């Protein structure tokens, strides 16, 4: 009779959990169409609820990065505190104190970075499963442990395989921005999987070969792509358009602010001695004014398969577009080319032939 | 490529095998009361060794700058040889542990070194007692290990942060010094290091690049690439060993869950500081627990070393170390008069094993998190 009661309790808990998770997933798929900040979109904190779930409470509810079992820590630690004597020991109390203070710090200071939320992940996972073990012991269900843990295991596996395949960034973008619809990835899993495979198999930095051949006396303005310094011997001024900050021996300075485009072009070439810009389209969009400058004063020279672009900084205003380069790059990708660059000559050849 | 692989392999063997063995010997020597299970102590030694190399390099490059690569390499090797000599008496224990842990799969001996003797899965197959969980665990390690080797050999550094660390690592070799300056700007290529954290992680790259400098070769970074996978392996092993005491299925659930969680998968398959710092933090929490259960000086010292380590690896670790020390102070059952010297010892060791970097950085360097960002 007692066991039957417990079984009903477990079924009820599983049912409520399923509803709870569905509601949370519903919020995870919400998109704030008014947000233009790529940081908020990339970090999945573009709506107030997502900001709370994936930001401050990300350690428990950022399902994309940390799976969906960590939230169980909350009911289980309450159970362990109320129903067992596990926290009578000073060692366990001390551990919990250090855990919660660290958690608080990560929530308050690390909400912006999912990697920080991983800090306590192994400990939370250990705690959660240990408390679940205590729960089974408390309800004398230890003899069902194999069944229960196998069920949990299958649930975890399915959930995380789904998460791994379909919740990757580029598919998120597909979900959030595609005209194909929010659940394209569910209705077309083979296509989504193909995209994932293609993305994984892309080699990095074909553009490096091109950059290495540039004259040594020409410097490069590097928009947050430190690969230049690691893979080449070129000189480059480090810049991040998201903060509009460039770095020199004197420290940090603002680049775009308080300059018109003509002044900016002259400043980059004459004062910073940079004739080229290494960036990518996604980064450029972190700063509207900088992006506008790139479109009007930076001539694309080469685009690689990893979407990195080398521009030549010009003094004359013009209308530059990456689109022809992207068209040729797509063509090369369709031809299963893995490691390539697209130059102006490739663009001319492709469109000339057409 | 082959020559670069050989140099990196040499660095891996020296660090992960010889130095780690010496660290384990040293820990065995210190732990004369057998206060920790040896398999956990073994993992602590493996985790602590690369950090110790980076710490030694930090002091050498800071206090004895502008020497040759050979000087720094030999100084680190001599330091470990010294540790080995003073711990030599424990060599038979080390051999015995290795034999039992890695080559004996019978149940009685496998549990000999565990604190949780009766909790292993006990299966008798035709009068042979086999520790099935241990065998499966080693199969798992082989899989993780293969994944690690494959990833390390095939993938270059790509992520922004990892490249920053790697470039800084190269600059330490080029400049042969660590100095605390307001702007970490390198004139030769105009690179500006914006990192706020301690130098432990980049110095692991420096350790490898010093060998390349010594052999006058370039192009390899396989040891530095291997750090992420190495610490992932340790983290998985640590959680497995601890959870194995409760139930034979728990460790598998933990390991497989971690594996299939996107965030962990990401840090397992890409290069980053995360596995390094998360392993150290996890071990620090474990040591805090041991320390409060078993208030002896060996665990206290180990706790201090790991708190210092996690602080030197990442700024977040500085605050976590403070929380751990506060927790030790609040929940230790000793008298206040006994607690205070222990807390002082903890504090001093944490500063020596990592905290000093932040003191110097605030005092003479970038200002760490207190820096005022000046736009001119």
């Amino acid at each position: 009779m007692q066991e039957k009661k417990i079984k009903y309790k477990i079924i009820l808990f599983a049912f409520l959990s399923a509803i709870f998770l569905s509601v949370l997933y519903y919020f995870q798929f919400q998109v704030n169409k008014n947000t233009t900040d790529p940081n908020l979109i990339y970090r999945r904190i573009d709506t107030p609820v997502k900001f709370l779930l994936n930001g401050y409470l990300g350690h428990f509810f950022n399902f994309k990065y940390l799976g969906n079992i960590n939230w169980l820590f909350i009911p289980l630690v309450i159970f362990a505190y109320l129903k067992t004597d596990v926290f009578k020991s000073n060692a366990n109390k001390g551990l919990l104190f250090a855990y919660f203070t660290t958690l608080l710090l990560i929530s308050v200071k690390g909400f912006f970075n999912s990697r920080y939320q991983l800090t306590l992940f192994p400990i939370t996972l250990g705690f959660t499963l240990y408390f679940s073990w205590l729960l089974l012991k408390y309800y004398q269900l230890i003899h069902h442990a194999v069944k229960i843990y196998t069920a949990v295991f299958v649930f975890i596996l399915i959930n995380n395989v789904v998460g791994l395949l379909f919740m990757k960034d580029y598919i998120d973008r597909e979900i959030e921005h595609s005209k194909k619809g929010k659940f394209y990835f569910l209705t077309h899993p083979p296509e989504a999987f193909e995209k994932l495979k293609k993305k994984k198999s892309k080699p990095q930095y074909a553009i490096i070969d091109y950059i290495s051949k540039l004259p040594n006396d020409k410097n490069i303005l590097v928009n947050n792509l430190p690969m230049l310094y690691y893979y080449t011997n070129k000189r480059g001024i480090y810049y991040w358009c998201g903060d509009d900050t460039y770095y020199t021996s004197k420290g940090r300075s603002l680049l775009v602010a308080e300059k018109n485009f003509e002044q900016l072009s002259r400043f980059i070439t004459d004062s910073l001695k940079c004739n080229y810009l290494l960036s990518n389209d996604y980064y450029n969009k972190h700063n509207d004014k900088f992006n506008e400058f790139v479109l009007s004063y930076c001539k694309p020279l080469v685009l690689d398969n990893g979407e990195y672009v080398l521009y030549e900084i010009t003094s004359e205003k013009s209308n530059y577009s990456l689109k022809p380069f992207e068209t040729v790059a797509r063509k090369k990708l369709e031809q299963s080319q893995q490691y390539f660059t697209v130059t102006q000559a490739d663009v001319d050849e492709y469109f000339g032939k057409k | 490529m082959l020559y670069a692989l050989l140099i990196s392999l040499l660095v891996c063997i020296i660090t992960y095998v010889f130095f780690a063995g010496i660290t384990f010997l040293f820990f065995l020597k210190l732990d004369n009361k057998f206060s920790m299970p040896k398999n956990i102590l073994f993992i602590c030694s493996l985790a602590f060794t690369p950090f110790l190399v980076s710490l030694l390099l930090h002091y050498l490059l800071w206090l004895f700058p502008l020497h040759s690569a050979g000087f720094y390499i030999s100084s680190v090797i001599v330091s470990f040889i010294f540790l080995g000599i003073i711990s030599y008496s424990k060599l038979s224990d080390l051999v015995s542990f290795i034999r039992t842990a890695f080559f004996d799969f019978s149940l009685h001996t496998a549990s000999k070194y565990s604190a949780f003797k009766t909790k292993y899965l006990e299966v008798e197959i035709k009068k042979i007692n086999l520790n099935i969980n241990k065998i499966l665990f080693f199969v798992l390690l082989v899989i993780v290990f293969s994944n690690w080797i494959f990833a390390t050999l095939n993938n270059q550094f790509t992520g922004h942060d990892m490249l920053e660390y790697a470039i800084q690592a190269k600059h330490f070799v080029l400049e042969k010094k660590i100095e605390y300056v307001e702007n970490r700007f390198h004139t030769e290529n105009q690179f500006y290091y914006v990192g706020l954290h301690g130098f432990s992680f980049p110095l692991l790259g420096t350790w490898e690049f010093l060998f390349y400098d010594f052999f006058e070769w370039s192009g390899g970074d396989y040891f530095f690439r291997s750090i992420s996978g190495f610490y992932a392996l340790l983290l998985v092993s640590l959680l497995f060993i601890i959870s194995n005491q409760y139930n034979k299925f728990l460790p598998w659930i933990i390991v497989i869950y971690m594996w299939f969680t996107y965030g962990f998968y990401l840090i397992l398959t890409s290069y980053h500081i995360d596995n390094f710092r998360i392993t150290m933090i996890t071990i620090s929490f474990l040591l805090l627990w041991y320390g409060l259960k078993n208030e002896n000086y060996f665990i206290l010292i180990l706790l201090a070393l790991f708190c210092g380590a996690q602080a030197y690896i990442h700024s977040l670790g500085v605050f976590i170390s403070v929380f751990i020390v506060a927790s030790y102070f609040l929940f230790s059952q000793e008298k206040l008069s006994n607690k205070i010297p222990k807390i002082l010892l903890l504090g001093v060791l944490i500063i020596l094993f990592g905290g000093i970097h932040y003191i110097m950085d605030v005092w003479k360097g970038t200002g760490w998190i207190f820096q005022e960002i000046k736009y001119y």
Side-chain angles (χ1 to χ4, degrees):
Chain A
M1 190 62 195
Q2 181 67 16
E3 199 162 302
K4 219 175 178 182
K5 245 182 169 179
I6 294 165
K7 266 187 191 167
Y8 282 132
K9 273 187 184 174
I10 290 175
I11 292 168
L12 182 69
F13 181 74
F15 180 69
L16 291 176
S17 300
I19 294 173
F20 179 63
L21 286 175
S22 307
V23 170
L24 292 181
Y25 271 116
Y26 170 77
F27 285 118
Q28 292 283 0
F29 282 111
Q30 294 293 302
V31 177
N32 181 357
K33 285 178 182 160
N34 299 323
T35 305
T36 51
D37 187 340
N39 262 320
L40 298 182
I41 296 166
Y42 174 72
R43 293 168 200 273
R44 302 174 61 82
I45 49 177
D46 50 318
T47 69
V49 179
K50 277 162 79 177
F51 197 90
L52 189 70
L53 290 178
N54 297 335
Y56 289 125
L57 300 175
H59 185 69
F60 298 114
F61 299 112
N62 190 347
F63 291 165
K64 179 187 166 187
Y65 281 99
L66 287 102
N68 63 8
I69 200 175
N70 288 358
W71 67 274
L72 278 172
F73 173 86
I74 300 166
L76 284 172
V77 75
I78 294 170
F79 156 80
Y81 184 78
L82 296 176
K83 300 282 187 182
T84 72
D85 57 2
V86 69
F87 291 117
K88 281 190 180 145
S89 127
N90 260 30
N92 291 352
K93 272 186 212 164
L95 192 60
L96 205 68
F97 172 83
Y99 175 85
F100 276 119
T101 43
T102 304
L103 191 64
L104 193 68
L105 174 76
I106 290 166
S107 297
V108 174
K109 287 285 175 195
F111 69 91
F112 207 62
N113 195 338
S114 302
R115 290 189 303 98
Y116 285 178
Q117 292 164 355
L118 277 169
T119 305
L120 288 173
F121 175 58
I123 299 168
T124 304
L125 192 58
F127 270 149
T128 304
L129 292 170
Y130 172 62
F131 293 150
S132 72
W133 178 248
L134 290 180
L135 184 105
L136 294 184
K137 257 171 91 176
Y138 181 82
Y139 286 115
Q140 295 171 337
L141 288 170
I142 287 293
H143 53 291
H144 291 308
V146 174
K147 275 189 222 162
I148 291 169
Y149 281 120
T150 306
V152 171
F153 166 73
V154 171
F155 172 71
I156 287 166
L157 206 67
I158 293 170
N159 175 68
N160 285 300
V161 167
V162 170
L164 210 65
L165 288 179
F166 299 120
M167 289 181 79
K168 284 185 73 72
D169 286 340
Y170 83 103
I171 295 175
D172 291 348
R173 286 201 288 275
E174 190 83 358
I175 296 160
E176 287 165 5
H177 303 302
S178 164
K179 290 170 191 161
K180 291 170 187 165
K182 272 188 177 182
F183 296 103
Y184 174 80
F185 74 105
L186 280 179
T187 52
H188 299 76
E191 286 87 343
F193 187 66
E194 273 308 306
K195 284 191 172 187
L196 180 74
K197 272 191 352 199
K198 260 186 193 167
K199 188 170 171 89
K200 285 290 287 176
S201 60
K202 267 187 193 176
Q204 300 291 322
Y205 304 149
I207 204 167
I208 288 299
D209 295 336
Y210 188 95
I211 293 172
S212 300
K213 289 172 192 151
L214 291 175
N216 277 335
D217 57 335
K218 309 269 183 183
N219 291 354
I220 299 166
L221 184 69
V222 184
N223 188 18
N224 205 32
L225 294 171
M227 67 198 188
L228 178 95
Y229 304 100
Y230 192 69
Y231 292 112
T232 77
N233 293 321
K234 299 288 168 200
R235 289 157 65 91
I237 296 283
Y238 201 72
Y239 173 66
W240 168 225
C241 71
D243 300 331
D244 188 31
T245 305
Y246 71 93
Y247 301 82
T248 63
S249 57
K250 293 178 192 166
R252 302 153 203 254
S253 309
L254 299 175
L255 182 68
V256 176
E258 295 171 12
K259 290 184 192 82
N260 65 36
F261 289 165
E262 215 170 295
Q263 289 170 328
L264 181 59
S265 168
R266 261 204 315 276
F267 180 78
I268 295 173
T269 50
D270 299 348
S271 302
L272 298 182
K273 311 251 180 274
C274 293
N275 300 84
Y276 301 102
L277 164 71
L278 177 63
S279 187
N280 70 34
D281 200 34
Y282 172 67
Y283 279 175
N284 293 345
K285 285 175 182 158
H286 281 68
N287 182 329
D288 291 341
K289 192 175 172 189
F290 180 73
N291 193 33
E292 214 181 310
F293 169 75
V294 172
L295 291 172
S296 44
Y297 279 82
C298 300
K299 180 184 172 191
L301 290 180
V302 59
L303 164 77
D304 80 353
N305 54 326
E307 297 156 16
Y308 301 104
V309 192
L310 186 76
Y311 301 87
E312 185 178 14
I313 297 161
T314 62
S315 52
E316 297 290 317
K317 187 178 176 184
S318 187
N319 279 327
Y320 296 114
S321 171
L322 260 184
K323 285 215 169 76
F325 288 77
E326 287 168 346
T327 307
V328 179
R330 261 199 303 279
K331 193 75 195 166
K332 289 195 178 194
L333 272 176
E334 279 166 18
Q335 291 165 351
S336 302
Q337 291 194 39
Q338 295 284 307
Y339 189 79
F340 61 82
T341 53
V342 178
T343 60
Q344 187 62 51
D346 295 320
V347 171
D348 293 343
E349 190 189 331
Y350 179 78
F351 286 99
K353 270 186 185 173
K354 256 192 135 180
Chain B
M1 164 86 176
L2 184 67
Y3 196 59
L5 259 177
L6 285 175
I7 293 175
S8 296
L9 189 65
L10 176 73
V11 182
C12 287
I13 291 170
I14 288 175
T15 315
Y16 296 145
V17 181
F18 290 112
F19 285 180
I22 288 171
T23 310
F24 186 47
L25 272 183
F26 183 64
F27 284 170
L28 284 174
K29 177 90 178 167
L30 287 180
D31 188 16
N32 50 15
K33 288 183 181 165
F34 304 105
S35 36
M36 278 178 76
K38 282 202 175 66
N39 45 12
I40 292 180
L41 195 62
F42 181 65
I43 288 179
C44 290
S45 314
L46 287 171
F48 192 70
T49 303
F51 164 77
L52 188 56
V53 170
S54 74
L55 188 78
L56 287 168
L57 278 180
H58 174 98
Y59 278 111
L60 287 165
L61 288 163
W62 180 33
L63 302 175
F64 306 100
L66 306 175
H67 287 282
S68 66
F71 168 80
Y72 296 111
I73 293 170
S74 54
S75 301
V76 172
I77 291 174
V78 166
S79 307
F80 272 94
I81 289 173
F82 174 73
L83 272 188
I85 289 168
I86 59 173
S87 322
Y88 184 73
S89 59
K90 291 287 174 183
L91 191 62
S92 57
D93 284 16
L94 170 74
V95 173
S96 159
F97 171 78
I98 298 289
R99 204 173 49 221
T100 314
F102 291 97
F103 300 104
D104 190 344
F105 291 93
S106 62
L107 194 64
H108 63 286
T109 45
S111 53
K112 188 177 163 189
Y113 281 99
S114 168
F116 321 109
K117 286 183 185 177
T118 58
K119 309 274 181 163
Y120 275 90
L121 172 62
E122 296 179 20
V123 174
E124 213 173 277
I125 305 169
K126 290 181 185 173
K127 292 181 186 171
I128 305 168
N129 289 322
L130 279 178
N131 188 333
I132 299 294
N133 239 21
K134 185 172 170 183
I135 293 170
L136 290 175
F137 173 61
F138 274 90
V139 172
L140 172 84
L141 284 191
V142 169
I143 296 168
V144 180
F145 186 77
S146 316
N147 187 12
W148 169 38
I149 297 292
F150 183 77
T152 302
L153 289 178
N154 282 296
N155 303 326
Q156 293 180 332
F157 291 143
T158 51
H160 170 273
D161 294 3
M162 189 64 218
L163 281 165
E164 289 256 341
Y165 293 127
I167 298 160
Q168 184 57 47
K170 276 194 171 173
H171 278 287
F172 284 139
V173 178
L174 288 172
E175 292 157 13
K176 305 273 186 338
K177 67 177 176 189
I178 285 179
E179 58 180 352
Y180 288 95
V181 289
E182 198 181 343
N183 296 301
R184 292 201 184 106
F185 180 78
H186 303 280
T187 43
E188 57 271 41
N189 61 359
Q190 301 183 324
F191 170 67
Y192 189 105
Y193 183 64
V194 292
L196 285 175
H197 314 308
F199 293 138
S200 180
F201 190 55
L203 281 170
L204 291 178
T206 304
W207 172 235
E208 179 176 32
F209 299 147
L210 280 170
F211 279 80
Y212 280 94
D213 194 37
F214 181 73
F215 289 112
E216 295 178 353
W217 201 260
S218 64
D221 48 19
Y222 300 104
F223 168 75
F224 199 23
R225 290 189 205 178
S226 76
I227 294 293
S228 288
F230 177 71
Y231 279 93
L233 204 70
L234 292 185
L235 196 55
V236 166
S237 306
L238 185 71
L239 289 177
F240 193 100
I241 289 167
I242 295 167
S243 54
N244 196 37
Q245 65 181 294
Y246 298 107
N247 176 271
K248 66 193 178 201
F249 283 101
L250 266 182
W252 295 105
I253 298 225
I254 289 184
V255 166
I256 291 169
Y257 185 82
M258 283 179 84
W259 202 289
F260 283 95
T261 299
Y262 179 50
F264 193 74
Y265 165 81
L266 209 64
I267 59 169
L268 201 71
T269 51
S270 60
Y271 306 118
H272 217 289
I273 195 171
D274 291 319
N275 287 345
F276 189 28
R277 72 180 179 86
I278 292 172
T279 305
M280 294 311 215
I281 289 168
T282 307
I283 292 176
S284 302
F285 273 83
L286 180 69
L287 289 169
L288 170 70
W289 185 73
Y290 273 120
L292 288 170
K293 269 178 90 101
N294 187 359
E295 297 181 353
N296 70 41
Y297 271 96
F298 169 67
I299 295 188
L300 188 79
I301 290 169
L302 216 54
L303 176 64
L305 300 190
F306 275 90
C307 281
Q310 50 143 325
Y312 186 42
I313 293 165
H314 198 278
S315 303
L316 197 62
V318 177
F319 299 98
I320 297 175
S321 294
V322 171
F323 299 147
I324 285 176
V325 174
S327 176
Y328 191 88
F329 180 75
L330 290 171
F331 295 98
S332 164
Q333 284 176 310
E334 289 194 79
K335 283 183 198 162
L336 192 64
S337 55
N338 287 344
K339 263 189 210 178
I340 287 173
K342 282 190 168 180
I343 295 294
L344 284 176
L345 179 70
L346 259 176
V348 169
L349 285 175
I350 288 172
I351 288 171
L352 280 177
F353 279 81
I356 187 128
H357 165 81
Y358 298 98
I359 295 171
M360 290 305 297
D361 204 26
V362 170
W363 182 31
K364 290 197 157 182
T366 65
W368 187 38
I369 55 171
F370 307 107
Q371 62 185 289
E372 191 189 338
I373 297 174
K374 285 171 279 189
Y375 295 103
Y376 65 92

